[in-house]
């Protein structure tokens, strides 16, 4: 069978080195396809709301005593559940300060109310920061230090506030009207209208819908004129609020995971990096740049079925509206899923690791669960179980399902290739080993690097091999301190291999499935270096770490620290040749020359050799001192439980 999956490519990526790796993934902004503007979306005051929330409903937990400065009102999502940050909610808290929070769901399913520290509730920077004082799982059309003005103060020239909501079959709308924004006690004109709309998902397998912020007018209302104090007639404060969404700050210390929706392409151009990192606050009204535009965040397709952990659908091609929707696993698992995993490894930017996202589906070996413990130390969950919840009760320092994260690597990609090659019956694959032949996977089999070949003054080729006879999936990753020119998979029939590299960090990734042995390279690595050494580090093979390898480049003779290497110069041989060995371990060795029938022609050495480089000369004579005839001969090194043989040609 010809190779079906050969793919050799160099990837050049701009890595965001100024951002911590954890903040690049597994965060709430992974739920949305960026930020956009909705055109011709003017604010229309809500008609026939489901409820105008009474002022006395806004309070601070846990006593819920009425608080018209920072209070919350709890309301129910009665028409549909809304998924946010990986959890489905049927209730939310509306804050006077221009945002909603879904709260945090504990491991037992209990939803915790917002924190009761008023200073944090009114602080718009709470969108960007994590901590027990700040609300989590927030959607904020206009988070600031706002104030609810009841009807009783209308006679003093204030516009009375109303906060209401409307529950419909396909959307849930919340409206803040005549809200005294960015509170100044005497600024009667500093009032604004805005809405938040949660749309029901159109995907029957997910409850994650779109989010929209709609903005009305700001400033003095007409009915206020008769009461107006000219000294404060037109004072409006529109700067200092935050706009966007926030998750739970998983694994990033005091920095929350957020999406700053001011980077929406209006007054501020959309910038994917800054929208996830910049703590920019408002300076003008409306945040969408005009009253005829809204801010829209369109939900990415996600799964809401727990048992799909490790099903291999990394690119979500089986989701609603995608080409493999409602198709069986042998349709939605494709080679693209393996490539996405390998690309993430090569870039050193892991797949989105929150439950039900990319890494959740890519972890086909079910060994990639982890969390950050109470000391903020990444901790692996060692148990391989069918359901991600099976062993959660063993973890004393896990209080929320949101703490359980997932990762995948090149070995998971190899298993996907094995599934495509019909070597694995289904994914996830939970057996501890594949039915390999020869060396048992993960326990004995390893990766090795063969004899390096110098192509020109600074270019070298290194074969990459499996150490032994091996039948099954292989996943390898390593880094070099030389520039990788190419990595090309070996085109042996019956083996399906993908090889790729990242030129920015000289990382090589190889994944595949087939029958391998120590003499047939799985790939050929070409690299460029002007140094005297080439170091290969960070070596991982089938989830096992391997010691680093160092190649010493010494003129015409090139040696590898982990390779018992034989080579003779010159070859073909006219009158004599020098045989070079690089002994890996102290042991007793024999070196001899043999003819094509296996008869020993000349013994060159028998005894103890220390590790290191050794050289032996052969003057093309046999044991009796007679010159041998022209033809093919072999020289063989035996010792340390292994035998190595190379061919040479005598030509007189």
């Amino acid at each position: 069978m010809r190779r079906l999956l050969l793919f050799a490519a160099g990837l050049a990526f701009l890595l965001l080195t100024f951002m911590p790796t954890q903040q690049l993934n597994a965060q709430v902004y992974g739920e949305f396809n960026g930020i956009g503007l909705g055109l011709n979306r003017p604010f229309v005051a809500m008609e026939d709301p489901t409820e105008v929330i009474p002022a006395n409903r806004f309070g601070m937990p846990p006593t819920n005593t009425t608080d018209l400065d920072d209070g919350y009102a709890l309301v129910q999502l009665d028409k549909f559940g809304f998924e946010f940050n990986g959890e489905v909610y049927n209730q939310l808290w509306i804050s006077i300060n221009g945002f909603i929070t879904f709260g945090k769901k504990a491991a037992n399913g209990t939803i915790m109310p917002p924190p009761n520290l008023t200073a944090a509730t009114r602080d718009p920077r709470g969108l960007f920061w994590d901590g027990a004082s700040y609300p989590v799982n927030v959607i904020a059309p206009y988070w600031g230090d706002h104030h609810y003005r009841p009807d009783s103060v209308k006679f003093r020239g204030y516009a009375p506030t109303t906060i209401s909501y409307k529950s419909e079959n396909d959307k849930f709308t919340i409206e803040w009207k005549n809200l005294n924004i960015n509170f100044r006690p005497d600024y009667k004109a500093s009032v604004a209208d805005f809405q938040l709309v949660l749309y029901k998902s159109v995907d029957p397998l997910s409850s994650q819908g779109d989010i929209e912020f709609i903005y009305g007018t700001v400033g003095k209302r007409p009915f206020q004129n008769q009461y107006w104090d000219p000294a404060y007639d037109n004072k409006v404060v529109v700067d200092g609020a935050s706009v966007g969404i926030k998750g739970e700050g998983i694994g990033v210390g005091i920095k929350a995971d957020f999406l700053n929706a001011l980077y929406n392409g209006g007054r501020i151009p959309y910038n994917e990096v800054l929208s996830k990192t910049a703590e920019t606050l408002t300076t003008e009204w409306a945040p969408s740049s005009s009253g005829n535009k809204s801010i829209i965040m369109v939900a990415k397709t996600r799964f809401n079925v727990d048992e799909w952990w490790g099903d291999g659908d990394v690119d979500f091609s089986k989701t609603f509206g995608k080409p493999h929707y409602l198709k069986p696993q042998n349709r939605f698992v494709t080679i693209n899923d393996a490539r996405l995993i390998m690309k993430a490894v090569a870039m050193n930017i892991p797949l989105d690791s929150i439950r039900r996202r990319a890494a959740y589906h890519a972890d086909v070996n079910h060994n990639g669960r982890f969390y950050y413990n109470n000391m903020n130390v990444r901790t692996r969950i060692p148990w391989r179980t069918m359901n991600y919840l099976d062993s959660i009760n063993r973890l004393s320092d896990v209080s929320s399902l949101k703490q359980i994260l997932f990762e995948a690597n090149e070995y998971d990609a190899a298993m996907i290739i094995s599934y495509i090659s019909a070597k694995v019956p289904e994914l996830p694959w939970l057996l501890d080993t594949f039915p390999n032949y020869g060396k048992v996977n993960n326990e004995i089999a390893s990766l090795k690097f063969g004899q390096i070949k110098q192509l020109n003054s600074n270019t070298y080729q290194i074969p990459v091999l499996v150490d032994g006879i091996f039948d099954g999936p292989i996943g390898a990753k390593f880094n070099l301190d030389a520039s990788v020119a190419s990595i090309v998979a070996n085109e042996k029939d019956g083996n399906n291999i993908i090889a790729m590299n990242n030129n920015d960090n000289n990382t090589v990734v190889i994944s595949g499935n087939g029958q391998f042995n120590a003499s047939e390279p799985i790939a050929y690595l070409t690299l460029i270096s002007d140094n005297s050494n080439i170091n290969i580090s960070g070596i991982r093979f089938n989830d096992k770490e391997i010691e680093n390898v160092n190649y010493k480049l010494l003129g015409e003779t090139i040696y590898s620290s982990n390779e018992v290497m034989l080579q003779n110069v010159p070859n073909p041989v006219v009158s004599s040749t020098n045989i070079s060995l690089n002994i890996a371990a102290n042991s007793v060795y024999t070196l001899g020359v043999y003819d094509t029938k296996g008869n020993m022609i000349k013994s060159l050495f028998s005894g103890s050799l220390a590790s290191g480089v050794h050289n032996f000369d052969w003057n093309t004579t046999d044991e009796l001192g007679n010159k041998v005839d022209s033809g093919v001969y072999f020289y063989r090194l035996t010792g340390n439980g292994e035998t190595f043989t190379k061919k040479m040609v005598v030509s007189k």
Side-chain angles (χ1 to χ4, degrees), residues 177-409:
K177 188 174 182 181
N178 293 338
L179 183 67
N180 183 243
I181 60 172
N182 303 313
F183 179 53
R184 304 291 192 278
D186 295 319
Y187 288 12
K188 299 180 177 67
S190 192
V191 292
D193 302 337
F194 54 92
Q195 295 173 340
L196 162 61
V197 186
L198 305 177
Y199 290 96
K200 182 181 179 181
S201 172
V202 297
D203 182 353
L205 299 178
S206 173
S207 297
Q208 181 174 303
D210 301 340
I211 296 173
E212 185 173 22
F213 302 155
I214 304 174
Y215 298 94
T217 60
V218 68
K220 181 178 60 177
R221 304 312 188 200
F223 58 81
Q224 293 178 276
N225 288 340
Q226 57 182 317
Y227 306 106
W228 211 248
D229 182 345
Y232 302 102
D233 193 48
N234 294 303
K235 290 186 180 295
V236 177
V237 182
V238 296
D239 58 313
S242 59
V243 178
I245 62 175
K246 171 188 177 180
E248 293 184 19
I250 297 173
V252 293
I254 61 173
K255 190 79 168 183
D257 56 307
F258 63 87
L259 188 62
N260 190 333
L262 290 178
Y263 292 87
N264 54 46
R267 289 192 177 91
I268 305 178
Y270 175 69
N271 183 297
E272 182 178 3
V273 174
L274 292 179
S275 69
K276 302 171 186 177
T277 58
E279 300 175 28
T280 306
L281 300 176
T282 58
T283 58
E284 298 181 75
W285 187 271
S288 59
S289 76
S290 82
N292 290 322
K293 297 178 182 178
S294 64
I295 297 175
I296 297 178
M297 286 165 279
V298 177
K300 289 183 178 178
T301 303
R302 295 296 180 219
F303 295 122
N304 193 26
V305 180
D306 294 335
E307 56 267 27
W308 283 348
W309 174 23
D311 66 352
D313 192 19
V314 185
D315 61 4
F316 301 99
S317 66
K318 74 171 181 185
T319 57
F320 180 74
K322 297 295 183 66
H324 300 134
Y325 178 60
L326 299 181
K327 297 293 193 301
Q329 189 174 49
N330 62 1
R331 293 289 303 277
F332 65 71
V333 176
T334 68
I335 197 60
N336 186 57
D337 297 305
R339 288 173 179 165
L340 287 176
I341 299 173
M342 296 177 67
K343 178 180 176 181
V345 174
M347 292 176 67
N348 195 29
I349 301 180
L351 296 169
D352 193 338
S353 56
I354 280 183
R355 179 166 52 98
R356 303 184 185 128
R357 300 188 189 170
Y360 175 87
H361 294 275
D363 183 20
V364 298
N365 195 28
H366 274 206
N367 66 348
R369 287 182 302 171
F370 66 97
Y371 66 99
Y372 290 89
N373 65 17
N374 294 331
M375 302 299 294
N376 203 33
V377 175
R378 177 175 167 140
T379 305
R380 189 178 74 88
I381 300 176
W383 307 289
R384 297 178 65 202
T385 57
M386 274 301 297
N387 190 286
Y388 77 98
L389 283 173
D390 290 349
S391 53
I392 299 304
N393 57 357
R394 307 187 200 180
L395 306 173
S396 61
D397 46 359
V398 171
S399 60
S400 170
L401 298 180
K402 297 297 309 208
Q403 291 177 257
I404 306 301
L405 306 175
F406 299 81
E407 69 175 350
N409 62 23

Side-chain angles (χ1 to χ4, degrees), residues 443-473:
E443 299 299 328
I444 301 176
S446 185
L447 191 74
K448 71 174 185 177
F449 300 89
Q451 179 177 332
I452 189 170
K453 179 180 181 181
Q454 188 166 7
L455 303 180
N456 55 47
S457 60
N458 67 348
T459 305
Y460 305 88
Q461 185 181 80
I462 304 175
V464 184
L465 307 100
V466 171
D467 186 13
I469 299 173
F470 185 81
D471 185 353

Side-chain angles (χ1 to χ4, degrees), residues 89-197:
Y89 296 92
N90 294 100
Q91 64 179 33
L92 56 85
W93 282 268
I94 302 174
S95 172
I96 288 172
N97 288 320
F99 64 87
I100 68 167
T101 172
F102 294 103
K104 185 176 183 179
K105 184 176 288 189
N108 63 4
T110 302
I111 298 177
M112 293 174 281
N116 59 7
L117 185 64
T118 57
T121 300
R122 68 181 62 160
D123 183 0
R125 293 171 300 174
L127 185 70
F128 313 122
W129 293 95
D130 186 32
S133 300
Y134 292 107
V136 298
N137 295 322
V138 168
I139 303 177
Y142 199 74
W143 185 348
D145 183 10
H146 309 323
H147 193 80
Y148 185 109
R149 297 297 188 189
D151 289 341
S152 60
V153 297
K154 184 175 181 180
F155 75 96
R156 295 169 53 193
Y158 294 102
T161 302
T162 58
I163 299 178
S164 55
Y165 66 91
K166 187 172 185 177
S167 180
E168 302 175 79
N169 290 332
D170 59 347
K171 63 182 178 179
F172 188 89
T173 306
I174 303 164
E175 179 178 276
W176 291 260
K177 188 174 182 181
N178 293 338
L179 183 67
N180 183 243
I181 60 172
N182 303 313
F183 179 53
R184 304 291 192 278
D186 295 319
Y187 288 12
K188 299 180 177 67
S190 192
V191 292
D193 302 337
F194 54 92
Q195 295 173 340
L196 162 61
V197 186

Side-chain angles (χ1 to χ4, degrees), residues 504-519:
D504 282 351
N505 61 13
N506 295 319
T507 297
V508 173
V509 182
I510 303 171
S511 297
N513 179 277
Q515 296 180 347
F516 308 97
N517 59 68
S519 62

